[in-house]
Amino acid sequence: MNATEEPTLLRALPTDPSAARTLRRQRAAGRLVRLRPGVYVRTSEWEALPPAARHRMLARAIIPELRASDVFSHMTAAVLYGWPMLGAAPDRVHVIDLDATSTTHREGLVRHAPQRAVPLESTHRFCDIRVTSPMVTAVLVATTCVPSTAAVTIDHGVRSGTVDPAEFGRALPPPPARGSRRARLVAAALDARHESVGESYTAIRLVELGVGPLAPQHEFRLPDGSIRRVDFWIPSLGVVLEFDGRQKYVDPTMLAGRDGAQVLWQEKIREDQLRALPQVRTVIRVTWWHLADPERLRTLFRQHGITI
């Protein structure tokens, strides 16, 4: 959990007003981006960073303003652990102040009071600042973020073995605590067998729509004895569901020497084999577009003759 390979932060020191003026002029000229008062990064480097890396930079930039009682938390902690996110990263850094009695918001920073329902653990550090443990981070994300965002983030922790789903379920605050209901939706969607962000996203959308139980990475044996593994098998509906990301058709590591047309043809043959099985009613392919809105996913099922 280090920042040695990230862009250099340029800080205006009170003891060097000349350098501070130079930094302000460079910012005015568009060569620098201001992260905090007196803290800058080169524009070219900032624009090259993905959202999560930008949030890490914000966390680094704000460190001199933090208190000894502050602990990186919530989605900020998740980013520091390298867990993925849906959409843009938070524009404010989140910390828990162990001495605070109420949550405060100011430019670039949310300082949370400790939650009694979530026992705090902070054994990890980022740039010498404590970070909530993976389990505490998962609980905080699940109880404060929308389920789709939380599930994609936390499922990575499950997949990497840093969050145990059963322990996570036990750690959730009981109803009617704030966020407890949405957190339980998230818990129902977590599974170490999900192999990608797209599969995590698919699982939480299905849970939100009341579809289940789900069997991730289910294997079917064909009449010739060969095996076909699918992203999801929904036995109650007789539905095979595959997440169909664009990467499958353009990523050289996934193409394995084939071109996109070959992959598409092989996928068609594979689908025909699955549909021929007596227990399979249909095969549904889900894309990012369908997952962006649960009603789009519901409509997709309906187009295949499945009512959910």
Side-chain angles (χ1 to χ4, degrees):
M1 196 179 290
N2 60 70
T4 55
E5 297 181 2
E6 294 176 354
T8 301
L9 289 174
L10 307 173
R11 297 186 183 272
L13 302 177
T15 56
D16 192 349
S18 176
R21 287 193 295 271
T22 299
L23 291 173
R24 288 195 294 270
R25 286 196 295 268
Q26 290 181 345
R27 182 204 177 195
R31 292 194 290 272
L32 297 180
V33 173
R34 175 184 176 273
L35 303 185
R36 302 291 301 162
V39 186
Y40 306 88
V41 64
R42 292 179 180 85
T43 301
S44 58
E45 294 179 326
W46 177 257
E47 291 179 345
L49 293 175
R54 291 186 179 188
H55 192 72
R56 282 174 62 96
M57 292 290 290
L58 292 176
R60 287 174 55 201
I62 209 169
I63 283 175
E65 304 173 47
L66 298 182
R67 304 166 181 168
S69 54
D70 286 336
V71 183
F72 284 125
S73 64
H74 295 75
M75 190 58 82
T76 295
V79 169
L80 297 180
Y81 282 121
W83 299 355
M85 296 177 300
L86 283 179
D91 57 2
R92 289 184 290 184
V93 173
H94 290 258
V95 301
I96 291 176
D97 182 350
L98 301 179
D99 294 337
T101 57
S102 62
T103 297
T104 58
H105 300 251
R106 64 185 182 89
E107 181 192 1
L109 178 66
V110 181
R111 182 173 273 119
H112 301 265
Q115 296 182 23
R116 292 182 181 179
V118 184
L120 185 66
E121 301 168 15
S122 55
T123 56
H124 297 71
R125 289 182 176 269
F126 176 74
C127 297
D128 291 329
I129 302 297
R130 289 174 295 177
V131 182
T132 52
S133 71
M135 182 59 66
V136 171
T137 299
V139 172
L140 292 171
V141 169
T143 53
T144 58
C145 297
V146 298
S148 56
T149 297
V152 165
T153 296
I154 299 166
D155 213 24
H156 181 87
V158 171
R159 191 159 48 246
S160 63
T162 55
V163 174
D164 178 79
E167 183 182 348
F168 170 77
R170 292 190 295 268
L172 294 178
R178 183 180 180 184
S180 59
R181 182 179 178 277
R182 76 177 75 175
R184 278 162 174 74
L185 282 177
V186 172
L190 302 179
D191 197 305
R193 291 172 291 179
H194 299 152
E195 295 184 342
S196 67
V197 166
E199 291 180 24
S200 300
Y201 197 9
T202 302
I204 184 60
R205 286 306 196 204
L206 292 172
V207 168
E208 288 178 310
L209 291 173
V211 177
L214 308 177
Q217 303 304 318
H218 183 78
E219 292 185 344
F220 289 94
R221 184 175 296 276
L222 301 183
D224 64 2
S226 60
I227 300 296
R228 297 293 180 267
R229 190 174 64 164
V230 301
D231 292 340
F232 295 96
W233 166 235
I234 310 173
S236 62
L237 300 177
V239 170
V240 166
L241 191 145
E242 298 273 59
F243 173 73
D244 203 17
R246 181 174 179 269
Q247 187 179 18
K248 181 187 299 183
Y249 305 100
V250 298
D251 186 339
T253 60
M254 298 186 73
L255 288 172
R258 302 167 297 172
D259 60 33
Q262 287 176 304
V263 173
L264 192 61
W265 177 250
Q266 290 171 355
E267 286 293 305
K268 180 188 180 304
I269 294 174
R270 180 172 174 273
E271 278 194 24
D272 290 343
Q273 293 171 332
L274 290 168
R275 287 195 181 94
L277 297 173
Q279 66 270 44
V280 176
R281 182 176 174 184
T282 189
V283 177
I284 299 177
R285 289 192 169 273
V286 174
T287 67
W288 287 104
W289 185 85
H290 297 111
L291 298 176
D293 182 344
E295 290 308 310
R296 293 178 185 171
L297 186 56
R298 192 190 302 276
T299 299
L300 178 64
F301 271 78
R302 192 179 301 120
Q303 290 170 347
H304 282 77
I306 307 293
T307 300
I308 58 175

